[in-house]
Every structure is written in C-alpha cells, then in structure tokens.
C-alpha cells in the first residue's frame, strides 16, 4: 500500500484568517465547523488534499522548503496573479521567460511563498 497526501499544512498566527484567504484562492469554503479563534482550521475540497491551518506562537523566519504551485483553471497567469493580489497576496518575484513561460512567486498574508504558473491555454496555445 502507498501513502496519499492527507493535508497541506500551514503554520500561522491566525488559522481562520489564513484559511479564509486560501478559501478565496481555491474557491472552496472553510469547513463549516471552523470559526475565528480556532487553533486548527481546515478546507476540505472534493478533489485534492485538504488544507490544514494550525496556530503556532513563532513567526515565519525563512523561505519555505515546500510550497504550493497553482495553475489557473479559467484565466491567464497574469489575470490570476491580479486576482490573488486583490485577495491579499503580495507579488514577491516574477520569473517571466521570453517565450511567455515562467512563473510568479507570491506571498500569502502569513508570508508563505507560493507560485502561479502559466494556464493550460498559455502552455498549449
């Protein structure tokens, strides 16, 4: 038997606030049993691993060694970046390539890095 990914976990100061940001990112709500002030909050999408947010006392200090990479499903990469910035993300770096490829690194409201790659339409025009 093999393992499967149960959670993608986020350590943070305010689990509900960070989960609310990510709920907007993936278009799936925070679990209805979770509330502001909870030490653990989850988002359980019907496809893919659940997102798990847990309160920790220490702040983030270094670059993530593992991060989430997003591929837009219904818009181009730059339009998705604009949407995520509107939700509260910060653009940290844009690794655009001359051929139209590349990715962007963003920070969520807790400072966790994540990437946005080109959409399927941009990969296969």
């Amino acid at each position: 038997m093999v393992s499967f990914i149960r959670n993608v976990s986020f350590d943070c100061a305010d689990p509900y606030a960070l989960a609310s940001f990510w709920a907007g990112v993936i278009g799936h709500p925070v679990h209805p049993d979770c509330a502001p002030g909870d030490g653990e909050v989850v988002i359980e999408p019907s496809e893919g691993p659940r997102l798990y947010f847990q309160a920790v006392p220490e702040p983030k200090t270094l670059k993530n060694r593992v991060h989430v990479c997003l591929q837009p499903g219904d818009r181009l990469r730059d339009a998705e970046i604009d949407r995520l910035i509107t939700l509260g993300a910060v653009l940290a770096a844009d690794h655009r390539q001359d051929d139209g490829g590349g990715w962007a690194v963003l920070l969520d409201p807790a400072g966790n890095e994540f990437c946005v790659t080109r959409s399927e339409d941009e990969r296969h025009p």
Side-chain angles (χ1 to χ4, degrees):
M1 176 144 228
V2 298
S3 296
F4 65 93
I5 297 173
R6 171 72 177 135
N7 297 323
V8 174
S9 299
F10 297 79
D11 291 352
C12 55
D14 186 342
Y16 193 84
L18 192 57
S20 295
F21 167 80
W22 280 98
V25 169
I26 67 169
H28 196 84
V30 172
H31 192 281
D33 292 342
C34 298
D38 286 353
E40 298 177 337
V41 176
V42 297
I43 301 171
E44 296 185 304
S46 55
E47 294 183 19
R50 72 184 192 151
L51 302 182
Y52 172 79
F53 304 85
Q54 63 183 354
V56 297
E58 70 279 355
K60 180 181 179 298
T61 57
L62 300 172
K63 180 181 182 285
N64 297 7
R65 297 290 298 217
V66 175
H67 63 268
V68 174
C69 291
L70 303 174
Q71 179 178 321
D74 62 352
R75 61 183 53 95
L76 301 179
R77 184 197 85 131
D78 289 348
E80 180 65 354
I81 291 168
D82 291 342
R83 184 182 80 84
L84 298 172
I85 289 170
T86 300
L87 290 174
V90 174
L91 181 63
D94 192 341
H95 300 280
R96 183 177 306 279
Q97 297 171 346
D98 291 339
D99 67 356
W103 68 96
V105 178
L106 290 91
L107 305 176
D108 71 14
N112 298 304
E113 297 92 1
F114 65 98
C115 293
V116 178
T117 66
R118 293 181 295 163
S119 68
E120 189 65 26
D121 288 344
E122 291 169 296
R123 291 171 186 273
H124 305 286

